């Protein structure tokens, strides 16, 4: 008979507590931890995409909006086994992803990038590119 022991999993390595964006397949998908960075996340229905450079690296901002404005995109929600994940955000726009992230934005695999809340505007989530 085997004497099994449960192996402890560091929760910070599972990705559940780490805010990240998955980029690929022509879309940006934010995980629940990234969405939880914003107070009252469920009130936001649209986003505007912003871009800047910091230390020569691309930064993509996702400005959350409650109402549709010029150059805004409606937020999509992830589905897992047919159920909508409320604390999720998906932006499907292949030409935009290619413009922002090049081949990584459209390839048939996802690359993860860290996400933080902007220091100056708490309605902007920042994705730091490479």
């Amino acid at each position: 008979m085997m004497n099994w022991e449960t192996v402890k999993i560091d929760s910070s390595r599972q990705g559940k507590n780490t805010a990240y964006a998955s980029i690929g397949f022509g879309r940006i998908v934010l995980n629940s931890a990234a969405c939880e960075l914003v107070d009252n996340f469920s009130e936001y229905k649209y986003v505007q995409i912003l871009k800047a450079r910091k230390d020569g690296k691309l930064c993509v901002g996702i400005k959350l909006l409650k109402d549709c404005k010029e150059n805004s995109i409606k937020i999509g929600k992830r589905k897992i086994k047919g159920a909508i994940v409320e604390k999720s955000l998906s932006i499907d726009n292949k030409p935009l992803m290619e413009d922002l992230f090049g081949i990584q934005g459209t390839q048939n695999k996802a690359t993860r990038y860290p996400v933080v809340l902007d220091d100056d505007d708490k309605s902007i989530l920042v994705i730091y590119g490479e």
Side-chain angles (χ1 to χ4, degrees):
M1 177 176 217
M2 300 289 262
N3 187 14
W4 294 105
E5 293 180 38
T6 302
V7 177
K8 183 177 176 169
I9 305 295
D10 180 3
S11 63
S12 65
R13 293 180 157 248
Q14 288 179 297
K16 292 181 180 177
N17 298 328
T18 304
Y20 66 82
S22 295
I23 310 295
F25 301 95
R27 66 181 167 250
I28 296 173
V29 177
L30 298 184
N31 72 341
S32 295
C35 297
E36 288 174 358
L37 295 173
V38 178
D39 291 335
N40 304 314
F41 175 80
S42 62
E43 294 178 7
Y44 297 98
K45 305 297 179 207
Y46 296 88
V47 296
Q48 286 177 327
I49 305 299
L50 314 170
K51 66 180 181 177
R53 293 231 168 245
K54 183 174 182 180
D55 300 325
K57 294 185 179 187
L58 174 69
C59 297
V60 175
I62 299 176
K63 181 165 181 62
L64 297 160
L65 305 168
K66 293 180 182 178
D67 300 307
C68 184
K69 293 188 178 177
E70 187 175 357
N71 296 314
S72 66
I73 300 171
K74 186 163 178 54
I75 293 173
K77 298 288 186 180
R78 288 181 44 213
K79 289 184 181 178
I80 298 178
K81 296 181 182 178
I84 293 173
V85 178
E86 283 304 317
K87 287 201 175 177
S88 66
L89 181 145
S90 178
I91 301 165
D92 295 277
N93 189 313
K94 194 170 187 172
L96 177 62
M97 295 307 113
E98 186 172 26
D99 181 47
L100 291 171
F101 298 99
I103 191 70
Q104 286 185 329
T106 59
Q107 64 188 355
N108 289 329
K109 71 174 194 171
T111 304
R112 287 185 177 176
Y113 293 90
V115 175
V116 297
L117 196 58
D118 185 73
D119 292 332
D120 301 318
D121 186 336
K122 301 304 179 197
S123 68
I124 298 176
L125 293 165
V126 181
I127 302 168
Y128 288 104
E130 295 178 347

